[in-house]
Amino acid sequence: MEDKKEITLLGAGLIGSLAAVYLTKQGYTVTIYERRPDMRKESISAGRSINLALSDRGWRGLAGAGVDTLIRDNAIPMYSRHIHNLDGSEINQAYGKENQAIYSISRRDINCLLMDAAEENGAKIFFNHRVTNYDINNNIITIEDATNKKTFQISPGLTIGSDGAFSSSRLGIQFTDRCNYSQTYLEHGYKELVIEAGPDNSFLIEKNALHIWPRGGYMLIALPNPEGSFTCTLFFPFEGNPSFSMLKTEADVLQFFEQQFPDALKLMPNLAHDFFANPTGSLVTVRCKPWSFNNKLLLIGDAAHAIVPFYGQGMNCGFEDCFTLNEMITKHAHNWSAIIHEFEALRKPAADGIAELALMNFIEMRDLVGSAKFLLRKKIEGAFYTKYPEKWQPLYTMVTFSHLPYHEALAMGKFQDTIMDKVMELPDIENIWNTQKVEDMMLQLLAESEKS
Amino acid sequence: MEDKKEITLLGAGLIGSLAAVYLTKQGYTVTIYERRPDMRKESISAGRSINLALSDRGWRGLAGAGVDTLIRDNAIPMYSRHIHNLDGSEINQAYGKENQAIYSISRRDINCLLMDAAEENGAKIFFNHRVTNYDINNNIITIEDATNKKTFQISPGLTIGSDGAFSSSRLGIQFTDRCNYSQTYLEHGYKELVIEAGPDNSFLIEKNALHIWPRGGYMLIALPNPEGSFTCTLFFPFEGNPSFSMLKTEADVLQFFEQQFPDALKLMPNLAHDFFANPTGSLVTVRCKPWSFNNKLLLIGDAAHAIVPFYGQGMNCGFEDCFTLNEMITKHAHNWSAIIHEFEALRKPAADGIAELALMNFIEMRDLVGSAKFLLRKKIEGAFYTKYPEKWQPLYTMVTFSHLPYHEALAMGKFQDTIMDKVMELPDIENIWNTQKVEDMMLQLLAESEKS
């Protein structure tokens, strides 16, 4: 297959913009068509952001393109999950070792910085340009320029679809024979809310933490912003009791928050207004196979594998796509048949892995993090990990602070769970957890598994 | 919601045509738009049929519309599965009790008869009319008349999407928020082949049977046609060894059939030609939820729930949709909001059930039917069923010869499997299967389950 000198990207979101930096640095002429207006020039309606949490995979992806330092100034480290129980008690749980953190960043800030970087490296972004038809068999893409309503057609040598969960380029693949595809929605939606800053941009709750109000079937979370506010998200069922459908009036909302989130409510003066002014978002997992067609189109990021946000890995996974794609370009010396083949082989199982992990973590966040058994379990794992880091890494650490492929982390986590299940069944584990007996048991179970 | 007097159907296939008969009899003015030409007037390319097997659910669906007698003359009863083992031995396994049969029928014959019936009852079918756009939010359907390339728009009070596995009306629903959708392909494809008739339209193998050549990872089947031939289908992996991708030449095909299907090969003089002349079809399962939008659109048949063909229930399930829809129209006195709501509530779990059963039966057909253990298991179940028909019906009987909702049959089958697993573990079961001990064990396990 011939080398490609020019590459067309569909979508200048987080993943498309970072991919453009990598590709221009690899010597390609890059053109991006973006459906939306340039967010650097226009105000975009708020209320649909879910603040992002950058972690090690994301940082590596940014660093590989030389753009991590741009981002770091705008990011706030969160060293712990800070849990707000219904009884008013609070628990601060470190995410990892000292100095290990995930970083709160606004989607808008990071996207603007990455667009700047893409353009500085020579990529050309056409905003307000929407794909209206994708004839995948003839490789003809019809694009409409919203500013003058004119359409034109292009036939790129290589198109990279970075156009998100509702990708129009993926549609082309979906209609080809033997494409496996699924879109699966949660019965929960989300609503963005805000905890206001205090005087002089002060933080009214712990700044360097991701706050969680776990309530079993639902939860509220909050991530810090540089100006002292927190972007909050309520993850909540659409139907049932309680649910979005039950909260019909401002009084309903205030009463519900008074009962369930009284400490947060005190810091949310605009809650009742925001609750009805902001849209209710839905949460989808998208699985697709293949991600490419005829070496002319390759999907990356959410277009290939949209996931729910509960492991904070959607952006990180997409940045890891960009990092791996860049590695493949170098490894296969711009042979795109080989690049696409190995990229899919490496990334598809990883994407399936993080999709499953993200669904699992919703249960953990909304339901388990507040329980004494869960905290004890994490404490035992943490102590063992500190002593035997080469034998055991907690699942959260593997996902968040390592580059182990997601599916391998998932498999290892499931295996470790079988050991922890046995440990937690020990009589009086609450009192003996820190004893040699427990440590020996874990070492023995690990040794047995190595033998078999 | 207002009553609907006129109904638009998309697709005049098996399900759309039968639905049209029911709806006209219920007093509706019915218009059908069908993408293809009128198959009653034009020859349609062969090679993609998979002969159909009508069973009790299908017959009830036809009878409810008064069209079963039209069909019966063209159908050949198959009382047994006739298994052709690799060593040349053959086994004839009755499908049910004496006179219980599934019926071989050509898709074309039954579709033509149903179109005739729909038109006789007043339905108007526009052939060569293809949906080119479905604006579901504004309820505007754009249709192109292939004969003059002109397009026009309609805005029906109620549209029923009976447009098959690749439904264009379903696409409208897929793009709505929180629609769960999946399309899942098997790694096996299919190829239509033929066993020719003997002299004077004689049948060269047992006429009243469904023939199976089970070979583990793949199989060949054959269903009788009235003129003495058999329509055969090879279900075979796309990739691997053996697979479609491995059989590259006519010599490859002949050698493979000589090794694996020597008895069939003798009756297939045109095998090598047909193998390459006929297309290789793919096999998809489609799941969708919801099946309706805004009481303006309802999906039925494959458009709502395409399944793989291994239980012979695709058409039967679609005819059961028509039967149930008609029941709901009567029950809810033409209140379409109530009709659609209860139709989906009844049929969605049933459709999910038969989708799972169909996938399970592929394993059974290609792999298990030839094994001694499997045959013994069926023999034990059959004997118990004969003696205690009120306590036990084999799964195949529930699916094929009853109207028990598919998902209830599936659940009962799984429960019965737990009992049969225990029975089959009895020492020396091959010799004691017909003893009081085994019967008592089954009775006791059933009694225990009733208590709990």
Side-chain angles (χ1 to χ4, degrees), chain A residues 161-417:
Chain A
S162 50
D163 46 353
F166 303 99
S167 168
S168 56
S169 48
R170 188 184 61 228
L171 263 187
I173 294 179
Q174 280 170 236
F175 290 130
T176 60
D177 192 31
R178 296 171 64 207
C179 168
N180 284 344
Y181 171 76
S182 72
Q183 58 190 43
T184 312
Y185 285 85
L186 288 190
E187 297 189 356
H188 291 68
Y190 71 90
K191 177 81 74 179
E192 187 179 309
L193 301 166
V194 65
I195 287 179
E196 302 291 353
D200 303 321
N201 293 340
S202 60
F203 290 84
L204 294 178
I205 53 176
E206 166 60 38
K207 172 185 177 185
N208 293 113
L210 191 156
H211 294 262
I212 310 179
W213 289 257
R215 294 295 181 267
Y218 55 96
M219 67 176 174
L220 179 71
I221 67 168
L223 282 78
N225 295 311
E227 69 279 16
S229 66
F230 287 79
T231 300
C232 303
T233 312
L234 175 67
F235 295 98
F236 200 48
F238 281 103
E239 304 294 336
N241 184 9
S243 72
F244 282 115
S245 71
M246 301 280 288
L247 303 183
K248 292 187 166 61
T249 66
E250 297 198 351
D252 292 342
V253 172
L254 292 172
Q255 186 187 3
F256 178 71
F257 271 67
E258 181 59 48
Q259 284 170 2
Q260 296 296 327
F261 310 113
D263 55 338
L265 176 61
K266 292 193 185 79
L267 311 173
M268 305 172 91
N270 297 316
L271 169 67
H273 170 268
D274 291 353
F275 195 90
F276 294 102
N278 289 344
T280 305
S282 54
L283 296 158
V284 70
T285 301
V286 170
R287 296 178 182 87
C288 186
K289 185 178 181 180
W291 290 347
S292 67
F293 182 77
N294 209 16
N295 293 326
K296 293 281 187 187
L297 170 63
L298 173 65
L299 305 177
I300 64 174
D302 282 4
H305 48 68
I307 61 176
V308 294
F310 304 108
Y311 230 117
Q313 288 295 314
M315 170 181 64
N316 291 290
C317 179
F319 287 174
E320 201 174 53
D321 281 354
C322 297
F323 183 86
T324 302
L325 185 62
N326 185 60
E327 280 191 320
M328 294 300 108
I329 293 170
T330 302
K331 176 178 177 185
H332 295 295
H334 304 269
N335 174 337
W336 278 91
S337 171
I339 293 164
I340 289 172
H341 182 79
E342 190 171 351
F343 177 82
E344 286 196 65
L346 289 171
R347 296 302 295 163
K348 173 62 177 166
D352 287 342
I354 191 58
E356 185 175 340
L357 284 161
L359 290 164
M360 284 165 53
N361 216 43
F362 186 29
I363 315 270
E364 180 163 322
M365 287 180 81
R366 76 186 198 220
D367 209 354
L368 304 178
V369 291
S371 85
K373 275 271 177 189
F374 177 84
L375 294 169
L376 176 60
R377 189 174 176 126
K378 294 293 154 185
K379 205 157 60 173
I380 297 169
E381 274 197 82
F384 194 76
Y385 165 46
T386 303
K387 192 157 179 185
Y388 301 105
E390 76 291 351
K391 285 185 190 293
W392 190 288
Q393 284 192 70
L395 177 57
Y396 190 88
T397 296
M398 290 188 279
V399 172
T400 307
F401 303 124
S402 92
H403 304 300
L404 190 68
Y406 287 119
H407 54 298
E408 294 179 19
L410 173 62
M412 180 60 72
K414 286 182 175 175
F415 162 67
Q416 291 176 170
D417 268 350

Side-chain angles (χ1 to χ4, degrees), chain B residues 11 23 53 55-56 118 155 166 188 194 206 219 239 241 249 261 284 295 301 311 344 363 374 380 385 388 428 440 449:
Chain B
L23 292 168
S55 54
D56 283 24
S155 188
F166 303 99
H188 291 68
V194 64
E206 167 60 37
M219 66 177 176
E239 304 294 337
N241 186 6
T249 67
F261 310 113
V284 71
N295 293 326
Y311 230 116
E344 284 196 66
I363 315 271
F374 177 84
I380 296 170
Y385 165 47
Y388 300 105
D428 203 28
D440 287 346
S449 81

